[in-house]
Amino acid sequence: MLGISAGIAAYKIPSLVRLLKKEGASVRVILTPDAHAFVTPLTLSVLSQEAVLSSFVSEDTDNPVWNDHVALGNWADLMLIAPATANSLSAMAHAKCNNFLIATYLSARCPVMIAPAMDLDMYAHSANQKNIETLETYGNIVLPVGDGALASGLEGKGRMLEPQEILEHTIHHFYSQQPLLGKKVLITAGPTYEPIDPVRFIGNFSSGKMGYALAHQAADLGAEVHLILGPHSLDTDEAPFTIEEINTADEMHAAVFNRYHMMDFAIAAAAVADFKPRTLASQKIKKEIGTPAIELIPNPDILAQMGEQKKNQVLIGFALETENEVAHATNKLKRKNLDAIILNSLADAGAGFATDTNKITYIGKNEAPKSFSLKSKEEVAKDIWNEILT
Ligand code: CTP
Protein backbone atom coordinates (compact mmCIF):
# COMPACT_ATOMS: atom_id res chain seq x y z
CA MET A 1 0.00 0.00 0.00
CA LEU A 2 1.67 3.16 -1.21
CA GLY A 3 0.47 6.46 0.24
CA ILE A 4 1.49 9.68 -1.49
CA SER A 5 1.14 13.05 0.19
CA ALA A 6 1.48 16.48 -1.38
CA GLY A 7 5.19 17.15 -1.78
CA ILE A 8 7.16 17.82 -4.95
CA ALA A 9 8.93 14.44 -4.57
CA ALA A 10 5.57 12.84 -5.47
CA TYR A 11 6.60 13.16 -9.12
CA LYS A 12 9.17 10.39 -8.53
CA ILE A 13 6.66 7.89 -7.17
CA PRO A 14 5.56 6.41 -10.53
CA SER A 15 9.10 5.07 -10.92
CA LEU A 16 8.91 3.60 -7.40
CA VAL A 17 5.67 1.85 -8.38
CA ARG A 18 7.47 0.40 -11.41
CA LEU A 19 10.39 -0.82 -9.29
CA LEU A 20 8.05 -2.45 -6.75
CA LYS A 21 6.02 -4.13 -9.49
CA LYS A 22 9.22 -5.41 -11.10
CA GLU A 23 10.07 -7.10 -7.77
CA GLY A 24 6.72 -8.88 -7.90
CA ALA A 25 4.83 -6.71 -5.40
CA SER A 26 1.12 -6.00 -5.68
CA VAL A 27 0.86 -2.24 -5.32
CA ARG A 28 -2.20 -0.16 -4.50
CA VAL A 29 -1.91 3.60 -4.36
CA ILE A 30 -3.64 6.23 -2.22
CA LEU A 31 -3.11 9.93 -2.87
CA THR A 32 -4.02 12.79 -0.58
CA PRO A 33 -6.29 15.22 -2.49
CA ASP A 34 -3.51 17.85 -2.72
CA ALA A 35 -1.02 15.29 -4.10
CA HIS A 36 -3.01 15.29 -7.37
CA ALA A 37 -1.27 18.57 -8.20
CA PHE A 38 2.11 16.77 -8.26
CA VAL A 39 1.36 13.40 -9.86
CA THR A 40 -1.65 12.11 -11.76
CA PRO A 41 -3.84 9.26 -10.54
CA LEU A 42 -4.03 7.96 -14.12
CA THR A 43 -0.24 7.50 -14.35
CA LEU A 44 -0.25 5.65 -11.02
CA SER A 45 -3.23 3.53 -12.03
CA VAL A 46 -1.60 2.49 -15.32
CA LEU A 47 1.64 1.54 -13.55
CA SER A 48 0.05 -0.20 -10.56
CA GLN A 49 -2.72 -1.82 -12.67
CA GLU A 50 -5.13 -0.91 -9.87
CA ALA A 51 -7.66 1.84 -9.18
CA VAL A 52 -6.07 4.77 -7.32
CA LEU A 53 -8.01 6.14 -4.37
CA SER A 54 -8.13 9.58 -2.75
CA SER A 55 -11.44 9.94 -0.99
CA PHE A 56 -13.84 8.10 1.27
CA VAL A 57 -16.52 7.98 -1.43
CA SER A 58 -16.16 7.34 -5.14
CA GLU A 59 -18.17 10.12 -6.79
CA ASP A 60 -21.30 8.97 -8.51
CA THR A 61 -24.39 11.03 -7.78
CA ASP A 62 -26.80 8.14 -8.23
CA ASN A 63 -24.77 5.44 -6.58
CA PRO A 64 -21.91 6.72 -4.39
CA VAL A 65 -19.50 3.92 -3.38
CA TRP A 66 -17.77 3.88 -0.01
CA ASN A 67 -14.05 3.22 -0.28
CA ASP A 68 -13.26 0.85 2.55
CA HIS A 69 -10.06 2.11 4.22
CA VAL A 70 -10.28 -0.66 6.83
CA ALA A 71 -10.16 -3.42 4.19
CA LEU A 72 -7.28 -1.65 2.44
CA GLY A 73 -5.38 -1.31 5.70
CA ASN A 74 -5.84 -5.03 6.34
CA TRP A 75 -4.93 -6.03 2.78
CA ALA A 76 -1.41 -4.65 2.90
CA ASP A 77 1.74 -6.47 4.07
CA LEU A 78 3.50 -3.10 4.22
CA MET A 79 2.23 0.46 4.10
CA LEU A 80 4.76 2.83 2.57
CA ILE A 81 4.13 6.56 2.78
CA ALA A 82 6.31 8.46 0.33
CA PRO A 83 6.68 11.35 0.24
CA ALA A 84 5.47 12.05 3.79
CA THR A 85 5.08 15.81 4.24
CA ALA A 86 5.34 17.60 7.59
CA ASN A 87 1.56 17.93 7.49
CA SER A 88 1.02 14.18 6.99
CA LEU A 89 3.58 13.28 9.66
CA SER A 90 1.75 15.53 12.09
CA ALA A 91 -1.65 14.04 11.20
CA MET A 92 -0.28 10.50 11.60
CA ALA A 93 1.39 11.28 14.93
CA HIS A 94 -1.83 12.77 16.32
CA ALA A 95 -4.43 10.52 14.67
CA LYS A 96 -5.87 13.54 12.88
CA CYS A 97 -7.97 11.67 10.41
CA ASN A 98 -8.43 14.42 7.86
CA ASN A 99 -8.11 12.42 4.64
CA PHE A 100 -8.40 8.92 3.21
CA LEU A 101 -4.65 8.28 3.42
CA ILE A 102 -4.51 9.00 7.17
CA ALA A 103 -7.66 6.90 7.76
CA THR A 104 -6.01 3.97 5.97
CA TYR A 105 -2.81 4.49 7.96
CA LEU A 106 -4.77 4.41 11.22
CA SER A 107 -6.55 1.22 10.10
CA ALA A 108 -3.43 -0.61 8.91
CA ARG A 109 -2.30 -3.66 10.89
CA CYS A 110 0.87 -4.14 8.86
CA PRO A 111 4.25 -2.46 9.41
CA VAL A 112 4.41 1.13 8.16
CA MET A 113 7.46 2.67 6.47
CA ILE A 114 7.65 6.43 6.05
CA ALA A 115 9.87 8.43 3.66
CA PRO A 116 9.74 12.07 4.84
CA ALA A 117 10.29 14.88 2.35
CA MET A 118 10.32 18.61 3.08
CA ASP A 119 12.54 21.66 3.19
CA LEU A 120 15.54 21.57 5.53
CA ASP A 121 14.23 23.95 8.20
CA MET A 122 10.85 22.25 8.28
CA TYR A 123 12.56 18.89 8.65
CA ALA A 124 14.85 20.12 11.43
CA HIS A 125 12.07 21.91 13.31
CA SER A 126 11.69 20.51 16.83
CA ALA A 127 7.95 20.02 16.37
CA ASN A 128 8.54 17.94 13.23
CA GLN A 129 11.36 15.97 14.87
CA LYS A 130 9.07 15.29 17.82
CA ASN A 131 6.41 13.94 15.45
CA ILE A 132 8.99 11.64 13.86
CA GLU A 133 10.08 10.38 17.29
CA THR A 134 6.43 9.83 18.25
CA LEU A 135 5.81 7.86 15.06
CA GLU A 136 8.86 5.72 15.79
CA THR A 137 7.64 4.98 19.30
CA TYR A 138 4.41 3.71 17.69
CA GLY A 139 6.51 1.14 15.79
CA ASN A 140 6.66 2.92 12.42
CA ILE A 141 9.86 2.66 10.40
CA VAL A 142 10.90 6.22 9.55
CA LEU A 143 13.49 6.33 6.78
CA PRO A 144 16.25 8.93 6.78
CA VAL A 145 16.13 11.87 4.37
CA GLY A 146 18.65 12.67 1.69
CA ASP A 147 21.03 15.63 1.77
CA GLY A 148 21.24 17.91 -1.26
CA ALA A 149 19.37 20.37 -3.49
CA LEU A 150 15.86 21.20 -2.29
CA ALA A 151 12.89 22.61 -4.22
CA SER A 152 13.31 25.90 -2.33
CA GLY A 153 16.75 26.34 -3.87
CA LEU A 154 18.39 25.70 -0.51
CA GLU A 155 20.75 22.82 0.12
CA GLY A 156 20.49 20.46 3.06
CA LYS A 157 18.70 17.57 4.71
CA GLY A 158 15.09 17.01 3.70
CA ARG A 159 15.04 15.32 0.28
CA MET A 160 13.00 12.16 -0.03
CA LEU A 161 15.22 9.11 -0.55
CA GLU A 162 15.45 8.13 -4.22
CA PRO A 163 12.96 5.45 -5.40
CA GLN A 164 15.78 2.90 -5.73
CA GLU A 165 16.85 3.55 -2.10
CA ILE A 166 13.26 3.24 -0.86
CA LEU A 167 12.97 -0.04 -2.78
CA GLU A 168 16.12 -1.35 -1.07
CA HIS A 169 14.74 -0.45 2.38
CA THR A 170 11.50 -2.24 1.45
CA ILE A 171 13.32 -5.40 0.31
CA HIS A 172 15.50 -5.34 3.42
CA HIS A 173 12.38 -5.02 5.57
CA PHE A 174 10.81 -8.13 4.05
CA TYR A 175 14.04 -10.13 4.27
CA SER A 176 14.50 -9.22 7.94
CA GLN A 177 10.98 -10.58 8.59
CA GLN A 178 12.07 -13.92 7.13
CA PRO A 179 14.58 -15.60 9.46
CA LEU A 180 14.17 -18.91 7.58
CA LEU A 181 15.08 -17.48 4.19
CA GLY A 182 17.35 -19.93 2.35
CA LYS A 183 16.62 -22.69 4.89
CA LYS A 184 15.15 -26.09 4.06
CA VAL A 185 12.44 -27.49 6.35
CA LEU A 186 11.00 -31.02 6.34
CA ILE A 187 7.77 -31.72 8.20
CA THR A 188 5.82 -34.95 8.63
CA ALA A 189 2.12 -34.69 9.39
CA GLY A 190 -1.13 -36.60 9.54
CA PRO A 191 -1.80 -40.26 10.29
CA THR A 192 -0.45 -43.30 8.50
CA TYR A 193 -2.78 -46.04 7.27
CA GLU A 194 -1.48 -49.59 7.58
CA PRO A 195 -3.47 -51.86 5.24
CA ILE A 196 -4.97 -55.11 6.46
CA ASP A 197 -6.60 -56.09 3.18
CA PRO A 198 -7.59 -54.12 0.04
CA VAL A 199 -10.39 -52.28 1.90
CA ARG A 200 -9.32 -52.06 5.56
CA PHE A 201 -6.52 -50.41 7.48
CA ILE A 202 -5.18 -49.58 10.95
CA GLY A 203 -5.10 -45.80 11.38
CA ASN A 204 -5.69 -43.03 13.88
CA PHE A 205 -7.64 -39.79 14.24
CA SER A 206 -4.82 -37.39 13.34
CA SER A 207 -6.00 -34.63 10.97
CA GLY A 208 -2.58 -33.33 9.89
CA LYS A 209 -3.65 -29.79 10.85
CA MET A 210 -0.80 -29.10 13.30
CA GLY A 211 1.91 -30.17 10.84
CA TYR A 212 0.20 -28.26 8.04
CA ALA A 213 0.12 -25.08 10.18
CA LEU A 214 3.82 -25.55 11.04
CA ALA A 215 4.65 -25.91 7.34
CA HIS A 216 2.64 -22.78 6.49
CA GLN A 217 4.34 -20.73 9.18
CA ALA A 218 7.79 -21.93 8.07
CA ALA A 219 6.97 -20.86 4.51
CA ASP A 220 5.79 -17.47 5.80
CA LEU A 221 9.16 -17.13 7.57
CA GLY A 222 10.91 -17.66 4.23
CA ALA A 223 11.79 -21.37 4.32
CA GLU A 224 11.65 -23.83 1.45
CA VAL A 225 9.28 -26.37 2.96
CA HIS A 226 8.54 -30.00 2.06
CA LEU A 227 5.56 -31.53 3.85
CA ILE A 228 5.18 -35.31 3.93
CA LEU A 229 1.51 -35.83 4.62
CA GLY A 230 -0.50 -38.92 5.48
CA PRO A 231 -4.15 -39.43 4.40
CA HIS A 232 -6.06 -36.21 5.09
CA SER A 233 -9.01 -34.03 4.17
CA LEU A 234 -7.17 -30.69 4.32
CA ASP A 235 -7.64 -28.11 1.59
CA THR A 236 -4.09 -27.88 0.28
CA ASP A 237 -4.77 -26.07 -3.02
CA GLU A 238 -3.17 -22.80 -1.89
CA ALA A 239 -0.23 -24.31 0.03
CA PRO A 240 2.91 -22.20 -0.55
CA PHE A 241 5.15 -25.30 -0.21
CA THR A 242 5.52 -28.77 -1.71
CA ILE A 243 3.42 -31.64 -0.38
CA GLU A 244 4.24 -35.31 -0.80
CA GLU A 245 1.27 -37.53 0.01
CA ILE A 246 1.95 -40.97 1.46
CA ASN A 247 -0.21 -43.65 3.08
CA THR A 248 1.91 -45.98 5.17
CA ALA A 249 4.69 -45.56 7.73
CA ASP A 250 7.08 -47.31 5.32
CA GLU A 251 6.23 -44.79 2.60
CA MET A 252 6.71 -41.91 5.05
CA HIS A 253 10.04 -43.43 6.11
CA ALA A 254 11.24 -43.63 2.48
CA ALA A 255 10.05 -40.09 1.71
CA VAL A 256 11.78 -38.68 4.81
CA PHE A 257 15.15 -40.30 4.17
CA ASN A 258 15.12 -39.26 0.52
CA ARG A 259 15.77 -35.71 1.60
CA TYR A 260 16.55 -35.60 5.35
CA HIS A 261 20.31 -35.23 4.68
CA MET A 262 19.66 -31.92 2.82
CA MET A 263 17.55 -30.33 5.54
CA ASP A 264 18.25 -27.55 8.03
CA PHE A 265 15.18 -28.28 10.17
CA ALA A 266 12.94 -31.33 10.53
CA ILE A 267 9.75 -31.55 12.55
CA ALA A 268 7.98 -34.87 13.08
CA ALA A 269 4.36 -33.95 13.71
CA ALA A 270 2.93 -37.12 12.15
CA ALA A 271 1.02 -39.66 14.19
CA VAL A 272 2.82 -42.66 12.76
CA ALA A 273 1.20 -46.03 13.41
CA ASP A 274 3.62 -47.89 15.67
CA PHE A 275 2.55 -51.27 14.25
CA LYS A 276 1.43 -52.74 10.94
CA PRO A 277 -0.06 -56.13 9.99
CA ARG A 278 2.65 -58.69 9.24
CA THR A 279 0.86 -59.77 6.05
CA LEU A 280 -1.42 -57.88 3.68
CA ALA A 281 -4.33 -60.08 2.57
CA SER A 282 -4.52 -59.91 -1.22
CA GLN A 283 -8.33 -60.27 -1.16
CA LYS A 284 -10.94 -58.82 1.19
CA ILE A 285 -11.05 -60.91 4.38
CA LYS A 286 -14.49 -62.55 4.50
CA LYS A 287 -16.62 -63.04 7.61
CA GLU A 288 -17.05 -66.72 6.83
CA ILE A 289 -13.50 -67.49 7.93
CA GLY A 290 -14.38 -66.39 11.47
CA THR A 291 -12.72 -63.65 13.52
CA PRO A 292 -9.27 -63.18 12.06
CA ALA A 293 -6.19 -62.83 14.24
CA ILE A 294 -4.08 -60.04 12.77
CA GLU A 295 -0.45 -60.36 13.72
CA LEU A 296 1.28 -57.00 14.06
CA ILE A 297 4.93 -56.11 13.60
CA PRO A 298 6.58 -52.78 14.48
CA ASN A 299 6.94 -49.95 11.99
CA PRO A 300 10.26 -48.12 11.76
CA ASP A 301 10.55 -45.29 14.32
CA ILE A 302 11.17 -42.56 11.76
CA LEU A 303 12.00 -39.84 14.28
CA ALA A 304 14.39 -42.06 16.24
CA GLN A 305 16.26 -42.82 13.01
CA MET A 306 16.37 -39.11 12.14
CA GLY A 307 17.94 -38.59 15.58
CA GLU A 308 20.55 -41.31 14.87
CA GLN A 309 21.46 -39.82 11.47
CA LYS A 310 21.40 -36.21 12.66
CA LYS A 311 24.29 -34.04 11.47
CA ASN A 312 23.53 -30.30 11.48
CA GLN A 313 19.74 -30.54 11.37
CA VAL A 314 17.64 -29.01 14.10
CA LEU A 315 15.30 -31.90 14.96
CA ILE A 316 11.96 -31.48 16.70
CA GLY A 317 9.49 -34.17 17.75
CA PHE A 318 6.04 -34.37 19.26
CA ALA A 319 4.93 -36.41 22.23
CA LEU A 320 1.34 -37.27 23.00
CA GLU A 321 1.13 -38.38 26.61
CA THR A 322 -1.58 -39.25 29.09
CA GLU A 323 0.36 -39.39 32.41
CA ASN A 324 3.71 -38.17 33.83
CA GLU A 325 3.69 -36.02 30.71
CA VAL A 326 6.82 -33.88 31.13
CA ALA A 327 8.93 -36.80 32.37
CA HIS A 328 7.86 -39.04 29.46
CA ALA A 329 8.39 -36.27 26.89
CA THR A 330 11.82 -35.35 28.26
CA ASN A 331 12.80 -39.00 28.14
CA LYS A 332 11.64 -39.18 24.48
CA LEU A 333 13.66 -36.03 23.69
CA LYS A 334 16.85 -37.69 24.98
CA ARG A 335 16.12 -41.15 23.59
CA LYS A 336 15.48 -39.83 20.06
CA ASN A 337 18.38 -37.31 20.16
CA LEU A 338 16.09 -34.28 19.59
CA ASP A 339 16.71 -30.56 20.00
CA ALA A 340 13.21 -30.01 21.34
CA ILE A 341 9.96 -31.84 21.88
CA ILE A 342 6.43 -30.51 21.86
CA LEU A 343 4.21 -32.12 24.43
CA ASN A 344 0.47 -32.57 24.03
CA SER A 345 -1.45 -33.93 26.93
CA LEU A 346 -4.68 -35.78 26.27
CA ALA A 347 -5.73 -34.53 29.71
CA ASP A 348 -6.13 -31.02 28.18
CA ALA A 349 -9.50 -30.36 26.53
CA GLY A 350 -9.08 -29.04 22.97
CA ALA A 351 -5.52 -30.37 22.64
CA GLY A 352 -4.10 -33.03 20.35
CA PHE A 353 -5.82 -34.90 17.52
CA ALA A 354 -8.54 -33.84 15.12
CA THR A 355 -9.20 -30.43 16.73
CA ASP A 356 -8.61 -26.92 15.38
CA THR A 357 -6.92 -25.93 18.64
CA ASN A 358 -3.97 -27.17 20.62
CA LYS A 359 -2.34 -26.66 24.00
CA ILE A 360 1.34 -27.42 24.13
CA THR A 361 4.36 -27.46 26.37
CA TYR A 362 7.63 -26.76 24.56
CA ILE A 363 10.63 -28.57 26.00
CA GLY A 364 13.98 -27.52 24.57
CA LYS A 365 17.16 -29.51 25.15
CA ASN A 366 18.53 -28.33 28.51
CA GLU A 367 15.65 -25.86 28.94
CA ALA A 368 12.81 -25.66 31.44
CA PRO A 369 9.45 -26.72 29.94
CA LYS A 370 7.40 -23.75 28.72
CA SER A 371 3.60 -24.12 28.70
CA PHE A 372 1.27 -22.19 26.40
CA SER A 373 -2.47 -21.57 26.63
CA LEU A 374 -5.10 -23.16 24.36
CA LYS A 375 -4.84 -21.53 20.91
CA SER A 376 -5.68 -22.14 17.26
CA LYS A 377 -3.19 -24.46 15.58
CA GLU A 378 -2.02 -21.51 13.42
CA GLU A 379 -1.17 -19.52 16.58
CA VAL A 380 0.49 -22.58 18.13
CA ALA A 381 2.63 -22.95 14.98
CA LYS A 382 3.81 -19.34 15.44
CA ASP A 383 4.71 -20.02 19.09
CA ILE A 384 6.62 -23.17 18.13
CA TRP A 385 8.68 -21.44 15.42
CA ASN A 386 9.32 -18.55 17.82
CA GLU A 387 10.74 -20.99 20.33
CA ILE A 388 12.79 -22.89 17.73
CA LEU A 389 14.33 -19.64 16.48
CA THR A 390 15.17 -18.08 19.85
N1 CTP B 1 7.28 -41.08 15.43
C1 CTP B 1 7.89 -41.48 14.24
N2 CTP B 1 7.80 -42.76 13.83
C2 CTP B 1 7.13 -43.68 14.57
C3 CTP B 1 6.50 -43.28 15.77
C4 CTP B 1 6.59 -41.98 16.16
O1 CTP B 1 8.50 -40.64 13.57
N3 CTP B 1 7.05 -44.93 14.13
C5 CTP B 1 7.43 -39.69 15.91
C6 CTP B 1 6.14 -38.89 15.92
O2 CTP B 1 5.98 -38.19 14.71
C7 CTP B 1 6.39 -37.96 17.09
C8 CTP B 1 7.26 -38.75 18.03
O3 CTP B 1 7.84 -39.77 17.24
O4 CTP B 1 7.13 -36.82 16.70
C9 CTP B 1 6.60 -39.32 19.24
O5 CTP B 1 5.66 -40.27 18.93
P1 CTP B 1 4.89 -41.06 20.09
O6 CTP B 1 4.00 -42.05 19.43
O7 CTP B 1 4.33 -40.12 21.08
O8 CTP B 1 6.07 -41.79 20.80
P2 CTP B 1 6.63 -43.19 20.66
O9 CTP B 1 8.08 -43.07 20.30
O10 CTP B 1 5.82 -44.05 19.73
O11 CTP B 1 6.56 -43.74 22.15
P3 CTP B 1 5.31 -44.28 22.99
O12 CTP B 1 4.37 -44.93 22.02
O13 CTP B 1 5.97 -45.22 23.92
O14 CTP B 1 4.74 -43.09 23.69
Side-chain angles (χ1 to χ4, degrees), residues 188-190 192 249 252-253 256 267-275 298-306 316-321 328 332 335-336 338 341-342:
T188 68
T192 63
M252 183 174 278
H253 181 267
V256 164
I267 305 181
V272 185
D274 286 326
F275 305 99
N299 267 324
D301 189 326
I302 302 168
L303 181 59
Q305 288 183 24
M306 285 196 266
I316 317 283
F318 272 75
L320 180 64
E321 306 291 346
H328 280 311
K332 226 169 253 181
R335 191 158 41 85
K336 299 196 186 190
L338 309 180
I341 195 156
I342 295 139

Side-chain angles (χ1 to χ4, degrees), residues 271-345:
V272 185
D274 286 326
F275 305 99
K276 65 181 171 195
R278 177 183 286 281
T279 52
L280 165 60
S282 57
Q283 304 299 329
K284 188 179 171 199
I285 299 171
K286 305 295 271 180
K287 276 200 290 291
E288 291 86 79
I289 65 159
T291 308
I294 298 169
E295 192 190 342
L296 299 177
I297 56 168
N299 267 324
D301 189 326
I302 302 168
L303 181 59
Q305 288 183 24
M306 285 196 266
E308 281 163 22
Q309 296 184 24
K310 191 164 83 163
K311 294 211 166 71
N312 297 318
Q313 298 92 338
V314 174
L315 184 59
I316 317 283
F318 272 75
L320 180 64
E321 306 291 346
T322 54
E323 48 156 9
N324 292 333
E325 289 99 334
V326 171
H328 280 311
T330 309
N331 184 19
K332 226 169 253 181
L333 178 144
K334 291 191 184 127
R335 191 158 41 85
K336 299 196 186 190
N337 190 24
L338 309 180
D339 295 288
I341 195 156
I342 295 139
L343 164 65
N344 292 134
S345 169

